[in-house]
Amino acid sequence: MSTVPLDETHLLTEAHRINYRLRSTFFYRKLKEYKTLSLPTKINALLPVNHLYSWKNWAEWGIGEEAFTYINEHPNLQLIQVFCHPRLIREHSSLLAYYRNIAALSQKAVKYLAAIDVKRIELDQENKYSLGEDKVLALSRLFNEHISLIIDSSIESLTEEELYGLLLVSTGTQIDGSWRNAIGEEAEKVVQRLLIKEVKERNLLAAFIPRQCTRVEVYNPAKLEEQLGNIEDYRGVMLANQTSILFSSEPDISLLNNQGTTVGVIEIKGGTDPAGALERYGAAKKSFEEVFRRNPKVKSILIASCITTEVHTRIQNDPIISTYFNLTEVLSEDSILYDQFIQEVFSILY
């Protein structure tokens, strides 16, 4: 258990350490969530029917004349690889993300410039959302105008490799914009993944519990990395010893015994501002108090970063908090405190 509070200099150093560690995992997780790497493959799958898309009205769709001529005569690029055809995004609305990224526009920029929120549509891999003609035309024009500018600025030298680069650069900018408000969420996701890996190492991982249905996904080693990458899709995991780990909020993680009773709770506070340490402690305490009203015997674990001297003193004298750990140490899998945290969790679950 972490027992030594940090001075102001070390608190600042720790804030930077935890911020950049979580930022790295956040970027990787979001890259998988956005499915950016799969977008070129989806476009390539449409190339056999490329001839079924008419470009007669290309000028009305915001495509510049020189840009259109260059791509139309390009030996290695097809028009649908570069420009947004209105009919195509009506048929495959999730491909909005492809053309938006090629145009180097963020979701926020599209909402501002076209007054259309594309976030939910892009995440819909089953094409459930139907776009009307007015929105399709507005989006096509917006994307194509920007793509034409990119081609013109390249002095007509755009390549397929550079298209792929635009996808990654634009996605990176989108992720970076999302990161500023997501450090607490990412801290939770990282700890969740660490726990699942430890459950697997102990040969206890039986099944994943999806959030949106009552079925379960029986543990399959071949799918583990994919499931860990999409951890937000799961409510928790079932263990082979008939216990469960559930992910929610207030508390962030609940440990259930074989009777369905909550026997342990974990609160994760990943904020990196030392000035907010007391507020984060207060929020965790409030969550624990709710659980204790139902079961005074429950074990509570607080994982937090940037613990100030005042907060450390309060935690030490707080009977509701059974134990607490420094988040930076928990994220170092080779540290003694990481081992202690894992032992604490599984002593509750066994």
Side-chain angles (χ1 to χ4, degrees), residues 197-236:
K197 286 183 178 181
E198 289 294 338
V199 171
K200 189 261 296 184
E201 291 298 318
R202 286 165 168 71
N203 295 317
L204 287 172
L205 185 52
F208 283 80
I209 308 169
R211 288 190 180 277
Q212 297 186 355
C213 58
T214 55
R215 64 180 175 82
V216 297
E217 295 181 14
V218 175
Y219 168 54
N220 180 350
K223 293 184 62 179
L224 181 60
E225 287 306 314
E226 176 186 350
Q227 290 165 323
L228 289 176
N230 298 313
I231 193 70
E232 64 279 354
D233 293 339
Y234 299 98
R235 170 107 168 89

Side-chain angles (χ1 to χ4, degrees), residues 177-193:
S178 302
W179 164 244
R180 295 164 196 168
N181 300 315
I183 186 168
E185 175 190 352
E186 185 59 23
E188 295 173 25
K189 297 294 183 289
V190 170
V191 175
Q192 290 169 5
R193 289 194 293 269

Side-chain angles (χ1 to χ4, degrees), residues 5-17 274 306 308-309:
L6 302 176
D7 61 31
E8 187 173 343
T9 300
H10 285 93
L11 279 171
L12 185 60
T13 301
E14 185 195 15
H16 287 307
R17 286 178 64 195
C306 299
T308 62
T309 301

Side-chain angles (χ1 to χ4, degrees), residues 304-318:
S305 56
C306 299
I307 296 292
T308 62
T309 301
E310 180 181 359
V311 172
H312 174 266
T313 301
R314 293 197 183 196
I315 292 174
Q316 290 288 82
N317 296 297
D318 194 333

Side-chain angles (χ1 to χ4, degrees), residues 25-228:
T25 62
F26 180 79
F27 264 65
Y28 177 70
R29 183 169 66 85
K30 284 296 180 180
L31 183 64
K32 293 176 74 70
E33 179 184 319
Y34 291 162
K35 297 180 170 54
T36 302
L37 301 182
S38 70
L39 293 176
T41 302
K42 292 180 178 180
I43 292 292
N44 290 337
L46 293 171
L47 293 182
V49 294
N50 179 53
H51 63 286
L52 297 179
Y53 292 95
S54 169
W55 294 89
K56 178 181 178 181
N57 296 328
W58 55 266
E60 298 177 17
W61 303 336
I63 304 174
E65 182 175 359
E66 291 183 0
F68 179 81
T69 301
Y70 172 67
I71 299 300
N72 196 36
E73 296 176 355
H74 199 287
N76 299 316
L77 290 173
Q78 300 295 322
L79 288 169
I80 64 171
Q81 288 179 284
V82 181
F83 298 118
C84 181
H85 193 294
R87 198 183 102 219
L88 189 149
I89 58 173
R90 290 199 73 184
E91 296 168 346
H92 307 278
S93 57
S94 62
L95 285 177
L96 282 173
Y98 176 82
Y99 295 107
R100 177 182 59 75
N101 283 313
I102 293 298
L105 291 167
S106 66
Q107 292 172 340
K108 184 177 180 180
V110 172
K111 188 174 183 178
Y112 177 77
L113 296 170
I116 300 172
D117 189 350
V118 297
K119 184 176 182 179
R120 287 196 307 169
I121 302 171
E122 290 183 5
L123 292 175
D124 173 30
Q125 299 302 309
E126 299 178 3
N127 287 317
K128 293 179 179 178
Y129 290 99
S130 178
L131 283 167
E133 292 180 33
D134 54 340
K135 290 185 177 181
V136 163
L137 188 57
L139 290 170
S140 298
R141 284 174 175 166
L142 176 63
F143 298 156
N144 290 331
E145 286 170 0
H146 283 257
I147 293 169
S148 295
L149 286 172
I150 290 171
I151 295 171
D152 291 344
S153 68
S154 74
I155 318 177
E156 299 184 354
S157 63
L158 187 71
T159 64
E160 188 171 4
E161 290 76 15
E162 288 171 339
L163 278 180
Y164 187 67
L166 281 170
L167 283 175
L168 295 180
V169 169
S170 185
T171 301
T173 303
Q174 177 82 29
I175 295 172
D176 189 54
S178 302
W179 164 244
R180 295 164 196 168
N181 300 315
I183 186 168
E185 175 190 352
E186 185 59 23
E188 295 173 25
K189 297 294 183 289
V190 170
V191 175
Q192 290 169 5
R193 289 194 293 269
L194 288 175
L195 285 177
I196 292 174
K197 286 183 178 181
E198 289 294 338
V199 171
K200 189 261 296 184
E201 291 298 318
R202 286 165 168 71
N203 295 317
L204 287 172
L205 185 52
F208 283 80
I209 308 169
R211 288 190 180 277
Q212 297 186 355
C213 58
T214 55
R215 64 180 175 82
V216 297
E217 295 181 14
V218 175
Y219 168 54
N220 180 350
K223 293 184 62 179
L224 181 60
E225 287 306 314
E226 176 186 350
Q227 290 165 323
L228 289 176

